[in-house]
Amino acid sequence: MSRRGLVSLTTRRSVRRKGGELATAATRRLEDRHDWYATLSARERSWVGMVAQAGIANFIDWLNGTGPADTRTIFGAAPWELTRTISLAQTLELARTVVEVVEERVEDLARPGDVTDLRVAVLRYSSEIAFGAALVYAQAAEQRGAWDARLESLIIDAVMRGEVDESIRTRAAALGWDSVANIVVLVGNSPHSPEGDDPAGAVSAVHRVAQRHNFPVLAGVQGARLVAVIGEATDPRTRVRDLAECFADGDLVHGPLVEDLAQGAVSAHAAVAGHLAAHGWPGRPRPVAADDLMAERAVAGDTLARAALIETVAAVLAEHPSLLETARTHLDSPGLEATARALYVHVNTVRYRLGRVTDIIGYDLTNPHEAFTVRVALTLGSIVEDSSKVIG
């Protein structure tokens, strides 16, 4: 039997005639009963009110057999952003409130013989709307997920290109990154193959790990590389190790810590350059900091690494002639004793001077890889100096 057959035309007309009163009562009930409603902005409350009114109108249409219990009609009264503002549980409370208002007025709305039938109709409508609300949220989540993925990809591209302007910051804010600081960019091999695997799986894996460890992250696949922009990474090594499982085998390189997304390109450039040059250090760890690959990056042609080595190593040692001489001599000698003989000083003097070198430039010349880095820096410094003399 149809709904129209269960409830008389007289009762259905009564419900339609009092639709405005029911909608007003439903909105008032929301204000009185639900604390979350009071926390909404005026615009958001107006959206909820529109949904409540649309719910009453849809119930009337459903009761009269002129339309289904249509959640698209009800929630179409408000922008889909409403699903970001109130939860599914709150939406179900909203639906129950609308139904309660109708149910409480059944005896006033229905003629005596229709009271039971109208109550049954209200309960049927309630169950259909509850199921429909869950479907609306599922669809909204899917749409939001696709939109967020596009935003995320756009932001990753902007960070990698060094083009984080106000529009990108606004888009990042939509993903909750308006106040995220302490940024580190991590670059490694993507676990998906170029033959057509969906890169969304790699990105989702990064998000799941970040959620588990409670830190913000943006991720994207660029060609064969997987890139992660990590926020609140005051301890970069820990955060990078947390995400290492999301990357395929191969080098995993993170850039230096920077203040915010606007400076993210600095970390991104270092990470990409380090990833390209990492093979130059056979004993490299995984993961490895791009700053620990300065020499390899410089040899591979990274102009920023070259400039940094000249400024932080060659230029600094040039201000300490005895230390520069000791460093050069030690790099060309097979050990401390040989360095001491070449300089005509005691071996303890060599140890002291090498300790001072470590203090002022941060590299230990007794460590083979760090010694190589200093050698590259001094070589670059000499080339620049000789070029300046020729030009001069």
Side-chain angles (χ1 to χ4, degrees):
M1 188 177 291
S2 67
R3 294 183 298 275
R4 182 175 297 181
L6 288 172
V7 180
S8 70
L9 177 60
T10 301
T11 295
R12 285 187 271 125
R13 285 176 174 173
S14 173
V15 174
R16 180 178 295 279
R17 188 169 57 251
K18 296 185 178 180
E21 296 178 19
L22 293 172
T24 301
T27 303
R28 189 176 301 115
R29 179 70 59 83
L30 284 171
E31 296 173 354
D32 296 339
R33 178 171 296 181
H34 302 299
D35 293 337
W36 55 264
Y37 183 85
T39 66
L40 302 178
S41 67
R43 182 176 64 167
E44 291 164 347
R45 286 197 298 273
S46 71
W47 288 348
V48 172
M50 290 164 59
V51 170
Q53 293 171 18
I56 295 295
N58 182 245
F59 170 71
I60 294 171
D61 290 340
W62 175 87
L63 186 64
N64 281 276
T66 59
D70 189 358
T71 51
R72 290 173 299 176
T73 298
I74 296 173
F75 289 94
W80 69 268
E81 289 92 337
L82 182 62
T83 59
R84 285 182 179 268
T85 303
I86 65 174
S87 67
L88 174 58
Q90 291 168 336
T91 302
L92 293 177
E93 288 178 358
L94 167 58
R96 280 196 297 268
T97 299
V98 171
V99 171
E100 283 176 6
V101 166
V102 178
E103 191 173 17
E104 290 172 2
R105 289 165 170 75
V106 163
E107 294 185 359
D108 295 331
L109 296 169
R111 71 177 190 179
D114 285 342
V115 171
T116 300
D117 289 341
L118 185 56
R119 287 191 190 281
V120 171
V122 170
L123 291 176
R124 285 182 57 194
Y125 179 79
S126 175
S127 63
E128 291 184 32
I129 285 299
F131 178 81
L135 181 61
V136 165
Y137 270 74
Q139 292 171 340
E142 184 177 352
Q143 293 173 358
R144 184 164 62 246
W147 174 248
D148 287 353
R150 288 193 291 271
L151 276 184
E152 186 173 21
S153 178
L154 180 65
I155 295 166
I156 289 285
D157 288 344
V159 169
M160 301 304 285
R161 293 195 307 268
E163 298 176 356
V164 178
D165 55 16
E166 188 59 36
S167 67
I168 294 298
R169 283 192 286 269
T170 300
R171 289 176 169 86
L175 296 180
W177 274 64
D178 48 332
S179 59
V180 175
N182 298 316
I183 307 297
V184 164
V185 176
L186 176 62
V187 172
N189 295 328
S190 173
H192 89 286
S193 68
E195 284 73 26
D197 288 358
D198 184 5
V203 173
S204 296
V206 172
H207 287 162
R208 285 195 298 272
V209 172
Q211 267 190 328
R212 188 165 69 239
H213 293 280
N214 194 31
F215 62 86
V217 69
L218 300 170
V221 173
Q222 298 189 325
R225 287 198 302 253
L226 174 59
V227 177
V229 179
I230 307 169
E232 307 303 343
T234 50
D235 183 3
R237 292 184 186 275
T238 297
R239 290 292 172 241
V240 168
R241 283 195 295 267
D242 290 338
L243 290 176
E245 65 184 76
C246 302
F247 292 77
D249 293 340
D251 292 306
L252 187 59
V253 184
H254 69 86
L257 184 68
V258 296
E259 185 175 341
D260 53 27
L261 273 181
Q263 299 176 19
V266 174
S267 188
H269 173 91
V272 171
H275 191 252
L276 292 173
H279 288 285
W281 180 12
R284 62 196 179 278
R286 185 185 189 273
V288 60
D291 285 353
D292 292 338
L293 294 164
M294 281 291 193
E296 290 77 13
R297 290 164 52 193
V299 171
D302 181 4
T303 56
L304 293 183
R306 291 178 177 180
L309 285 177
I310 293 171
E311 180 182 352
T312 61
V313 177
V316 173
L317 285 178
E319 298 174 357
H320 302 82
S322 65
L323 297 183
L324 176 59
E325 181 187 20
T326 300
R328 288 189 182 281
T329 303
H330 182 69
L331 289 171
D332 290 330
S333 301
L336 292 175
E337 290 77 7
T339 303
R341 287 194 299 270
L343 293 173
Y344 301 103
V345 297
H346 194 277
V347 67
N348 287 339
T349 301
V350 174
R351 289 194 180 94
Y352 170 77
R353 289 180 181 177
L354 292 181
R356 289 283 297 129
V357 169
T358 301
D359 290 340
I360 65 174
I361 65 172
Y363 290 100
D364 180 2
L365 295 188
T366 65
N367 177 292
H369 182 254
E370 294 188 23
F372 169 68
T373 301
V374 174
R375 180 184 289 279
V376 170
L378 294 179
T379 301
L380 289 170
S382 297
I383 292 173
V384 170
E385 182 180 358
D386 289 345
S387 299
S388 299
K389 289 179 180 178
V390 171
I391 295 174

